[in-house]
Amino acid sequence: MCELLGMSANVPTDICFSFSGLLERGGNTGPHKDGWGITFYEGKGCRTFKDPEPSYQSEIAKLVKAYPIKSVSVISHIRQGNRGRVCLENTHPFTRELWGRELTYAHNGQLSNYHDLKPQYYRPVGNTDSELAFCWLLDKIREKYPKRPSNMASVFRYAAKLSHTLREKGVFNMLLTDGVFVLAYCTNNLHYITRRAPFGKATLIDADMVVDFQQETTPNDVVTVIATRPLTNDERWQKMGPGEFALFKMGELI
């Protein structure tokens, strides 16, 4: 299985602390050594860094960890490959354009009997079940909403409804964002935590690193972090249930 990491915030925020913990699971404290990737949104644009090498020893990952890119929406992924070979085109996250907006997605799990997913407009570049499911999702969304709706939250709720179909084919834990909304869908293993004032200290599970968020934030900041497994050992993470989804905007659960 793979591991997911997402963030939704009401102000541009760097994810270096959480990302540092996730990287260690990519071949050091965890078995997810088949590549990693991360996408940051800045306005209508996004920048993505991906590498098929294990994240804990990737030079590109070290660059990202040391460069505090600030964003309100982030999706990251470390891979333990089970469908498709280890290569760049099979490395998450995946991004496609819809209505002039970049949508980014990452998946944790494994699907079976998925060959009936036959997207017509969006086509996979690699050969993973994950990317095929993303293309199918976007096809269905494009079919229901030929034009961008005024209420984008409805699009993400529809994506969650479609995710129920994918969950019937196996394990489907997923993150999806357009840079404003962040959708988390759970089959069996997904957690989140929302940090707001009064802020305190947090300690990573996978690395010798402690941060005092009170020194790094303002009293108005709201930051939600989503992860496959909790990244800190001294905070209370919310575990999601099977078939549950959570939709975030500007750090808040909506």
Side-chain angles (χ1 to χ4, degrees), residues 99-189:
W99 311 309
R101 190 85 187 185
E102 303 275 14
L103 269 69
T104 297
Y105 152 106
H107 165 230
N108 161 33
Q110 185 173 346
L111 304 180
S112 301
N113 302 318
Y114 56 86
H115 297 292
D116 61 333
L117 302 177
K118 298 183 182 298
Q120 299 300 309
Y121 184 82
Y122 293 95
R123 301 296 177 88
V125 176
N127 58 347
T128 64
D129 54 341
S130 301
E131 189 184 15
L132 178 63
F134 180 39
C135 292
W136 179 83
L137 271 173
L138 291 181
D139 253 31
K140 291 297 184 182
I141 292 171
R142 181 187 173 102
E143 181 180 312
K144 182 175 177 64
Y145 300 100
K147 296 182 180 179
R148 179 187 172 98
S150 57
N151 179 14
M152 278 297 293
S154 65
V155 173
F156 285 89
R157 293 189 180 100
Y158 182 57
K161 181 179 179 180
L162 293 170
S163 297
H164 294 320
T165 299
L166 294 170
R167 186 168 75 96
E168 293 173 357
K169 297 180 179 295
V171 177
F172 190 72
N173 302 298
M174 180 269 286
L175 296 177
L176 177 70
T177 185
D178 66 344
V180 177
F181 293 90
V182 177
L183 172 67
Y185 183 88
C186 178
T187 289
N188 63 352
N189 206 6

Side-chain angles (χ1 to χ4, degrees), residues 19 36-40 42 47-51 60-61 63-64 67 69 75-77 88 91-93:
F19 187 59
W36 66 275
I38 188 168
T39 297
F40 302 87
E42 299 173 44
R47 65 174 86 189
T48 298
F49 300 86
K50 297 164 77 168
D51 190 356
I60 301 173
L63 167 68
V64 175
Y67 182 35
I69 299 171
I75 286 183
S76 184
H77 180 278
L88 189 59
T91 305
H92 306 224

Side-chain angles (χ1 to χ4, degrees), residues 87-103:
C87 57
L88 189 59
E89 63 264 31
N90 286 335
T91 305
H92 306 224
F94 303 107
T95 300
R96 296 289 194 281
E97 178 272 335
L98 180 63
W99 311 309
R101 190 85 187 185
E102 303 275 14
L103 269 69

